[in-house]
Amino acid sequence: MSDAPGIPLSAEELAERKMRFLFALRSKGITDARTLGAMERIDRGDFVRGLFSERAYEDMPLPIACGQTISQPSVVGLMTQALQVGPRDTVLEIGTGSGYQAAILACLARRVYTVDRHRRLVREAEALFRALGLPNITAIAGDGSRGLPDQAPFDRIIVTAAAEDPPGPLLSQLKIGGIMIVPVGQSDAVQSLIRVTRTGEGFEYEELRSVRFVPLVEGMASD
Ligand code: SAH
């Protein structure tokens, strides 16, 4: 296998990497067939640029522009699986980042809205969604801690940055019967991934596992 920088991989080598990528996801507990299908279709290599592109199929978070990170594939898989997205669902993602998670959700949902506070990340993700032929994603530059009141309520909400508590505006924009996945905790500590289900009476909370995400920061970024 050629791993030297600058030497492109052959089609066979790429296919083998992809197979190992999917196998690793299964071994980490991602068993839902629709989630695995979407992660087979969306190539993480398209969302990682430059120096780190060679590591796109490894199960680790990687740096992207604006000092942010693309999450670890097994965490993307677990969050997607826990969100239980149906084909008629409208999904809100807070934290577009590279666009990888949104692209996976777009394979599973009717429509995906994704919000990031960095305009540059939104612009670059939009260009990728167009190039990959994913017409059902709308990327918006904004402060996601307020949600997206104009398009609310949502069947599913996924937050890919850590908040100290599940943000109130997001809870109120979740439909009854809806599910939200959000990492909760201080940004410099280990956080808990929480699944919130909205019932007719209120909210049910379930802790899924420990994770580490970049913080949810209020307000727009300057770039
Ligand atoms: N889901 C991404 C990874 C997200 S990294 C992917 O698949 O690549 C977390 C992202 O959350 C960063 O891009 C950061 O800019 C964004 N973010 C942090 N606080 C935010 C806020 N208040 N509103 C919107 N986006 C925010």
Side-chain angles (χ1 to χ4, degrees):
M1 174 159 296
S2 66
D3 251 350
I7 302 178
L9 295 173
S10 71
E12 272 156 49
E13 284 167 329
L14 275 175
E16 195 192 315
R17 278 198 179 187
K18 200 142 196 206
M19 248 171 59
R20 274 193 276 133
F21 176 78
L22 290 166
F23 184 79
L25 289 175
R26 278 196 205 94
S27 74
K28 293 198 170 155
I30 294 115
T31 51
D32 174 59
R34 292 185 75 235
T35 300
L36 286 167
M39 293 186 79
E40 182 169 3
R41 182 171 154 207
I42 301 299
D43 190 340
R44 190 168 183 252
D46 290 333
F47 295 83
V48 182
R49 266 165 234 165
L51 270 183
F52 293 98
S53 57
E54 305 233 340
R55 317 197 79 165
Y57 305 110
E58 293 176 30
D59 193 25
M60 51 165 64
L62 294 170
I64 57 171
C66 304
Q68 304 302 315
T69 53
I70 177 172
S71 314
Q72 194 175 341
S74 58
V75 172
V76 171
L78 286 170
M79 288 174 84
T80 306
Q81 176 167 284
L83 201 61
Q84 298 171 12
V85 182
R88 297 157 63 95
D89 287 348
T90 298
V91 182
L92 172 65
E93 180 196 27
I94 306 303
T96 311
S98 67
Y100 179 59
Q101 172 75 75
I104 290 167
L105 292 169
C107 300
L108 303 172
R110 187 174 63 81
R111 173 144 292 279
V112 177
Y113 294 93
T114 181
V115 181
D116 205 288
R117 61 191 289 278
H118 286 278
R119 291 182 186 81
R120 174 177 169 196
L121 293 175
V122 168
R123 250 192 340 262
E124 291 179 0
E126 265 181 329
L128 263 174
F129 300 149
R130 259 199 309 279
L132 297 173
L134 298 167
N136 59 334
I137 312 180
T138 307
I140 296 161
D143 177 1
S145 59
R146 297 152 184 255
L148 208 55
D150 289 353
Q151 307 297 338
F154 299 97
D155 300 291
R156 300 289 184 265
I157 299 178
I158 179 170
V159 188
T160 62
E164 289 195 14
D165 292 299
L170 296 183
L171 289 171
S172 70
Q173 290 172 29
L174 194 59
K175 281 188 192 167
I176 290 177
I179 297 175
M180 171 157 82
I181 307 290
V182 53
V184 170
Q186 303 283 340
S187 61
D188 52 355
V190 172
Q191 306 133 5
S192 288
L193 192 61
I194 307 284
R195 173 160 53 193
V196 185
T197 306
R198 184 167 198 173
T199 68
E201 289 79 48
F203 297 92
E204 283 169 7
Y205 297 84
E206 184 188 342
E207 211 174 311
L208 301 176
R209 58 164 277 182
S210 53
V211 283
R212 260 199 112 123
F213 275 86
V214 297
L216 189 76
V217 179
E218 281 190 23
M220 287 298 289
S222 56
D223 56 349

